[in-house]
């Protein structure tokens, strides 16, 4: 049956609208990234697991479990275990026969074992040898071969003038531990540390003496003795120690030095970095050190330049004496020598133990092979 013109006229708007909708839908699916996401099957599984009651097992059924089994990975926290062995430092000979505490707690060094048990020689990471206790023929040195991982450390706190040169030691050691700052393991006789809020503020001790000197090792060839002999002609110097037949106890030492305005911190020999407790002890006790030793510049590598008086700053002992007499009458200029106490405090050396513990710290941080050649040239020149 053919359509009449009237029917076509009636249907034409409908057909046109349908074609427009079809074109729009075609363009939409063609140019728009239409993505339908269907729920994962796992969601239903998980929901089923959450909603299902425990399985009911028949009595005696060994293949049935009332526990729900999940695929979730169980997190197990395992505490880290430090498997690094302790560093062993063997004290081969006690310095001058004086034993010291074998703990490094004061140095904040952990996993360090100090020992004098020579049975541990084959296990020791480092062996410490005190120069003044080494026999000239090396008869008291180890007879066994040195293990490949072990380092021998030359330890000496005496100046070259007071240490005998032993030619056979020249290329024997791996490391040096000495007061010199260019040593592998430097251990000065003292050092300054920053003050903390917990430290007590500096208070000037009561002074009733101008200049003091304590000395036991007397040698007319020493520069310090010659300087003293001339200086005493121009200023009163209170003297103590074996050289003057007036030995002091530790308690008396503290009392005497703190009561003096100036202390003669005269070293027995003049060498680079050879700056001993003769400087640090008076500073700690609130006394201005008058130093005789290496250059002023070398002293300033260790302490502030305004904390001491150097004999080389004066052309004669008399000129130095005149300066001390002047400072005795001028409180403001005298107290300026203690300005450093607002920033620093003195920390003394732990003789022997300092070298042993610092050796341990060094070995923990430096595990590569090392060797120290021409020891005699380096130290004795």
């Amino acid at each position: 049956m053919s359509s009449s013109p009237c029917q076509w006229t009636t249907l034409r708007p409908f057909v046109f609208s349908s074609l427009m909708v079809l074109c729009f839908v075609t363009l939409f699916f063609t140019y728009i990234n239409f993505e339908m996401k269907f729920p994962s099957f796992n969601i239903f599984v998980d929901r089923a697991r959450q909603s299902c009651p425990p399985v009911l097992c028949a009595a005696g059924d060994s293949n049935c479990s009332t526990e729900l089994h999940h695929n979730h990975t169980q997190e197990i926290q395992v505490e880290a275990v430090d498997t690094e062995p302790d560093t062993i430092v063997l004290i081969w000979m006690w310095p001058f026969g004086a034993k010291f505490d074998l703990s490094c707690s004061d140095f904040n060094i952990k996993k360090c074992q100090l020992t004098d048990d020579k049975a541990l020689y084959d296990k020791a990471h480092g062996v410490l040898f005190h120069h003044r206790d080494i026999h000239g023929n090396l008869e008291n040195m180890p007879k066994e071969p040195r293990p490949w991982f072990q380092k021998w450390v030359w330890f000496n706190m005496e100046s070259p003038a007071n240490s005998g040169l032993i030619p056979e030691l020249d290329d024997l050691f791996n490391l040096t531990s000495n007061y010199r700052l260019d040593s592998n393991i430097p251990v000065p006789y003292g050092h300054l540390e920053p003050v903390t809020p917990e430290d007590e503020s500096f208070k000037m001790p009561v002074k009733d003496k101008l200049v003091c000197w304590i000395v036991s090792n007397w040698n007319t060839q020493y520069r310090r003795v010659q300087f003293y002999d001339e200086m005493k002609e121009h200023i009163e110097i209170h003297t103590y120690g074996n050289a003057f037949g007036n030995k002091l106890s530790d308690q008396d030492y503290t009392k005497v030095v703190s009561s003096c305005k100036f202390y003669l911190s005269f070293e027995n020999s003049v060498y680079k970095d050879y700056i001993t407790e003769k400087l640090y002890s008076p500073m700690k006790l609130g006394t201005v050190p008058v130093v005789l030793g290496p250059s002023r510049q070398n002293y300033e590598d260790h302490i502030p330049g305004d904390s001491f008086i150097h004999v080389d700053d004066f052309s004669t002992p008399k000129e130095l004496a005149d300066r001390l007499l002047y400072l005795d009458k001028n409180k403001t200029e005298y107290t300026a020598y203690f300005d450093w106490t607002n920033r620093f405090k003195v920390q003394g050396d732990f003789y022997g133990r300092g070298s042993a513990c610092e050796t341990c710290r060094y070995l923990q941080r430096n595990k590569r092979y090392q060797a120290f050649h021409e020891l005699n040239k380096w130290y004795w020149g």
Side-chain angles (χ1 to χ4, degrees):
M1 180 184 294
S2 61
S3 300
S4 66
C6 184
Q7 289 176 324
W8 172 249
T9 302
T10 304
L11 293 173
R12 185 170 59 182
F14 175 77
V15 172
F16 181 78
S17 299
S18 298
L19 289 173
M20 290 297 292
V21 171
L22 180 62
C23 290
F24 176 80
V25 171
T26 302
L27 289 172
F28 182 82
F29 280 98
T30 302
Y31 294 103
I32 303 300
N33 184 19
F34 185 80
E35 192 174 309
M36 295 184 67
K37 295 184 179 179
F38 295 94
S40 170
F41 180 74
N42 291 333
I43 295 178
F44 299 103
V45 174
D46 290 341
R47 288 177 179 174
R49 285 175 175 169
Q50 294 174 6
S51 60
C52 287
V55 178
L56 297 178
C57 299
D61 188 351
S62 60
N63 294 322
C64 181
S65 173
T66 60
E67 295 182 0
L68 294 176
H69 299 282
H70 300 280
N71 291 327
H72 301 297
T73 302
Q74 184 178 4
E75 294 184 2
I76 302 176
Q77 294 184 350
V78 180
E79 187 174 335
V81 178
D82 187 358
T83 58
E84 187 73 15
D86 287 358
T87 300
I88 302 175
V89 176
L90 173 59
I91 316 299
W92 192 257
M93 65 269 289
W94 294 101
F96 302 113
K99 295 186 177 183
F100 49 77
D101 184 10
L102 295 177
S103 169
C104 291
S105 58
D106 293 325
F107 298 83
N108 195 28
I109 303 175
K110 299 179 180 179
K111 298 186 70 64
C112 180
Q113 179 183 348
L114 304 185
T115 180
D116 65 347
D117 184 1
K118 294 182 179 180
L120 295 176
Y121 173 76
D122 291 336
K123 297 181 180 179
H125 300 87
V127 184
L128 198 65
F129 300 93
H130 184 238
H131 179 81
R132 288 283 298 270
D133 289 296
I134 298 175
H135 297 168
N137 58 7
L138 308 189
E139 65 179 3
N140 61 341
M141 297 292 281
K143 302 298 187 295
E144 300 83 358
R146 174 171 21 188
W148 65 269
F149 60 85
Q150 187 180 90
K151 293 183 176 70
W152 285 14
V153 184
W154 179 81
F155 162 52
N156 184 26
M157 295 298 285
E158 298 296 322
S159 73
N162 296 299
S163 305
L165 185 152
I166 303 176
E168 290 77 12
L169 301 182
D170 206 28
D171 296 303
L172 188 62
F173 297 96
N174 302 91
L175 302 167
T176 62
S177 181
N178 185 249
Y179 59 80
R180 279 177 54 163
L181 297 183
D182 60 350
S183 177
N184 298 115
I185 308 168
V187 281
Y189 277 86
H191 64 276
L192 301 186
E193 295 180 350
V195 295
T196 65
E198 291 74 26
D199 293 320
E200 294 184 7
S201 300
F202 172 77
K203 295 180 181 179
M204 179 78 68
V206 176
K207 307 292 184 182
D208 59 10
K209 305 177 188 66
L210 184 56
V211 184
C212 297
W213 191 30
I214 304 172
V215 60
S216 295
N217 186 3
W218 186 269
N219 188 325
T220 57
Q221 301 302 313
Y222 287 171
R223 185 190 175 201
R224 68 181 184 184
V225 173
Q226 297 169 357
F227 198 97
Y228 161 78
D229 283 339
E230 185 173 345
M231 185 178 175
K232 69 180 182 180
E233 301 297 326
H234 309 285
I235 193 172
E236 182 182 9
I237 302 176
H238 297 266
T239 55
Y240 307 87
N242 289 341
F244 300 99
N246 187 11
K247 185 177 181 180
L248 298 178
S249 64
D250 291 343
Q251 184 177 0
D252 289 336
Y253 173 91
T254 299
K255 182 178 179 181
V256 167
V257 174
S258 62
S259 69
C260 303
K261 283 193 171 183
F262 302 98
Y263 182 81
L264 301 185
S265 299
F266 289 3
E267 303 295 351
N268 58 34
S269 50
V270 179
Y271 289 93
K272 177 184 178 182
D273 292 325
Y274 187 60
I275 300 171
T276 70
E277 77 287 344
K278 298 177 182 66
L279 169 77
Y280 293 103
S281 294
M283 290 182 69
K284 191 171 185 177
L285 293 173
T287 298
V288 177
V290 179
V291 305
L292 184 155
S295 67
R296 164 172 279 278
Q297 181 178 357
N298 195 186
Y299 273 92
E300 291 184 11
D301 291 335
H302 299 257
I303 58 175
D306 59 357
S307 65
F308 66 97
I309 297 172
H310 201 298
V311 300
D312 290 349
D313 292 338
F314 305 90
S315 58
T316 64
K318 180 182 183 306
E319 187 176 317
L320 170 59
D322 290 341
R323 174 62 178 171
L324 300 185
L325 291 169
Y326 169 81
L327 291 172
D328 184 38
K329 305 298 183 183
N330 292 268
K331 182 178 180 179
T332 301
E333 290 190 49
Y334 174 73
T335 55
Y337 283 97
F338 298 97
D339 287 347
W340 65 271
T341 60
N342 297 320
R343 311 185 307 277
F344 303 106
K345 60 183 178 181
V346 175
Q347 176 62 61
D349 173 50
F350 296 84
Y351 187 80
R353 184 155 66 105
S355 285
C357 291
E358 291 300 335
T359 292
C360 190
R361 191 200 306 272
Y362 184 94
L363 294 177
Q364 290 175 345
R365 296 176 177 178
N366 301 272
K367 299 182 183 297
R368 69 188 187 279
Y369 176 79
Q370 288 178 264
F372 194 91
H373 298 291
E374 297 185 330
L375 169 68
N376 295 336
K377 180 179 180 180
W378 173 73
Y379 199 64
W380 286 272

